[in-house]
Amino acid sequence: MIHRTAALSLVLLLAACSSEQAMTAPASEDAARVAGLWWAFLGFASFVFALVIGLVIAAMRTTFTEPAMPIETRRGWTLVIGGGVVLPLIAVVGLVGSGLWIGGVVARNEEPADLTVEVAGKRWWWEVIYRDADGEEIARTANEIVLPVGRTARVLLTSDNVIHSFWAPNLQGKTDMIPGRVNESRLTPARTGRFRGQCAEFCGVQHAYMAFVVEVIEADAFDAWLARQARPRTVPADPLLRRGLAVFLEADCGTCHAIRGTPAEGEMGPDLTHLAARETLAAGTIPNTKGHLAGWIGDPQKVKPGVLMPATALEPDDQEALLAYLTSLR
């Protein structure tokens, strides 16, 4: 039983160290500072734990092998003041001070930004807007943030509902998203890769399924990606896809969702202009495949209870046309 418990604990511990979502695998200078602080805390806590266990074992051995002897008063006070007051005070001041210093360095936001990304916490998904130097919108997407390696992104964080918290542990510490305020974070990825983020503030029944992905790519590839994301859609020439767009509009999907270049201009739900280019649906809940998309449209409450999107019942031919159109939006 003990062996099973130890093995299970080790598995859970290692599972928490997945390189895709782990501050112990930093991919930026700021994240490396946070990771260093965490390792320092862990090392000190381990030392204190080992010291206490050692003293307990020594006391138990002395109790059972030697007769009880009263300790000198002066020696007793030295142990109490030294071990119970001075050492804990030094430890608390050192750890809190280093934590405040690292926090101040990470939150300084002095790096000149190469691009501005606005991220809004929704129920329960993430809206991502890329803006130019004048604040004009370039492109809008959801749940997946693409950044160029070696460039600094100024990330503006907002919420129009409850408090969320933006946390991509491989890249930066967490920053709260508070209704009525615009908080700011800076992300400067030092290497390419795919990193998972998560809301770090309990925000409701689907908090655990409010994830996002940060994909860091080469700068040239990012420029090309952003140019593609900025393009609006045109009316498709293929009859099936054109029928799919008509179904989308007739079913009032455009009331909540936008597809730029079409009459669909809703803002309540995610922008779907390049939906098929995303890897997941419902903020990382399910893969973005035709089958999962059909299930999501037909019964979103089954996939993500509490989500604001209503179920949409369609005739089979209409559903097939709609799915063909949506999966073409790359």
Side-chain angles (χ1 to χ4, degrees), residues 50-97:
L51 178 63
V52 170
I53 294 299
L55 290 174
V56 169
I57 293 175
M60 292 176 65
R61 291 186 61 184
T62 302
T63 300
F64 290 111
T65 58
E66 299 178 10
M69 296 180 62
I71 191 171
E72 296 179 7
T73 303
R74 184 174 180 179
R75 187 181 176 191
W77 276 110
T78 301
L79 286 174
V80 170
I81 294 175
V85 179
V86 176
L87 288 180
L89 187 62
I90 293 174
V92 170
V93 170
L95 294 177
V96 172

Side-chain angles (χ1 to χ4, degrees), residues 48-223:
V48 172
F49 178 77
L51 178 63
V52 170
I53 294 299
L55 290 174
V56 169
I57 293 175
M60 292 176 65
R61 291 186 61 184
T62 302
T63 300
F64 290 111
T65 58
E66 299 178 10
M69 296 180 62
I71 191 171
E72 296 179 7
T73 303
R74 184 174 180 179
R75 187 181 176 191
W77 276 110
T78 301
L79 286 174
V80 170
I81 294 175
V85 179
V86 176
L87 288 180
L89 187 62
I90 293 174
V92 170
V93 170
L95 294 177
V96 172
S98 60
L100 292 174
W101 178 71
I102 293 293
V105 171
V106 168
R108 67 196 181 286
N109 292 336
E110 293 175 350
E111 291 287 334
D114 298 297
L115 69 155
T116 299
V117 183
E118 184 178 319
V119 179
K122 303 289 185 175
R123 282 181 55 187
W124 289 271
W125 58 281
W126 309 85
E127 183 173 66
V128 183
I129 303 174
Y130 290 81
R131 297 193 181 278
D132 63 18
D134 297 324
E136 297 296 322
E137 179 176 327
I138 302 173
R140 183 180 298 232
T141 183
N143 305 319
E144 296 181 5
I145 304 169
V146 178
L147 296 177
V149 65
R151 294 185 186 173
T152 297
R154 178 187 182 217
V155 184
L156 304 178
L157 302 167
T158 64
S159 171
D160 61 1
N161 45 94
V162 300
I163 297 176
H164 300 281
S165 192
F166 181 83
W167 189 36
N170 298 75
L171 297 169
Q172 184 58 280
K174 76 183 187 79
T175 302
D176 286 347
M177 311 167 81
I178 302 172
R181 293 188 55 175
V182 179
N183 285 341
E184 186 174 331
S185 181
R186 299 288 174 111
L187 302 181
T188 309
R191 60 180 170 89
T192 59
R194 185 177 177 81
F195 309 104
R196 187 178 186 275
Q198 174 71 44
C199 179
E201 185 81 26
F202 180 73
C203 56
V205 65
Q206 287 298 326
H207 164 71
Y209 289 97
M210 189 171 170
F212 62 92
V213 167
V214 180
E215 185 172 5
V216 181
I217 59 179
E218 297 294 341
D220 292 343
F222 170 79
D223 293 338

